[in-house]
Amino acid sequence: MNGVVRRIRCDGAALLFGVLIFLLLAAGPTAHAAGFTYIGLLIAIVILGMALSAVGVVWRTQAQRDREQELLFIGHDFERAIASYYRAGRQFPQEIDDLLEDKRGPEPAHHLRRFYSDPMTRAQDWNIIRVGALGITGIASSSKDAPIKKEGFNKDEDAFKDAASYGDWQFVYTPHIRQRRGGAAPRAAD
């Protein structure tokens, strides 16, 4: 029903515009024609403005969707870097700089190529997720905006479906713990 109403409104505006053009052409070059030309031009500008505003909304929505995809990529890159750091020494990084240059071994390792900016805020203002004194286990956006994407996530992103804000999209590395045989103390599998 709403689409029908919009179509009628658009067709009505086009009909009005067509009638005005017809009147302008039929009137000839008189003093009244100049007034009709002005009115016709104003109507054309209004219609063009409405079309441009609709394009602006679509463009803004698409730009936000692109930033969401970038957030997912960067978040998983941070998660992979934390996992790589953990596997290299069985401990979590204490600072983000530890991911950029890991000096625990004889040669520095680079688990993360660069410190990305949060695509939603366009700043390096990530919420750092720590578990007690263990260190950094993940990151999340500091944006409080509501996400557009609500479904179509990967299996490891199921928690993102019910997110109220981008800050709820938390990229956390959790090492898999496996039990040794004979009841010995657990050891990290990753």
Side-chain angles (χ1 to χ4, degrees), residues 88-152:
R90 299 288 183 240
Q91 66 184 48
F92 287 102
Q94 297 302 310
E95 300 296 328
I96 293 293
D97 291 336
D98 294 342
L99 296 172
L100 298 171
E101 188 171 14
D102 182 3
K103 299 178 184 177
R104 296 177 295 170
E107 282 198 35
H110 304 281
H111 304 283
L112 190 65
R113 291 179 180 257
R114 65 185 177 103
F115 186 29
Y116 297 100
S117 295
D118 180 345
M120 304 319 288
T121 63
R122 297 181 180 97
Q124 292 181 342
D125 59 351
W126 295 96
N127 289 336
I128 306 296
I129 301 168
R130 296 178 183 271
V131 176
L134 290 178
I136 298 173
T137 59
I139 59 141
S141 175
S142 61
S143 174
K144 302 297 182 206
D145 293 339
I148 294 175
K149 185 173 183 170
K150 297 290 185 184
E151 54 188 42

Side-chain angles (χ1 to χ4, degrees), residues 15-53:
L15 179 65
L16 179 63
F17 185 69
V19 168
L20 285 175
I21 296 296
F22 174 76
L23 290 175
L24 287 174
L25 294 175
T30 63
H32 288 18
F36 279 116
T37 303
Y38 182 70
I39 291 172
L41 184 62
L42 286 177
I43 290 174
I45 290 173
V46 166
I47 292 171
L48 183 64
M50 289 171 39
L52 286 176
S53 69

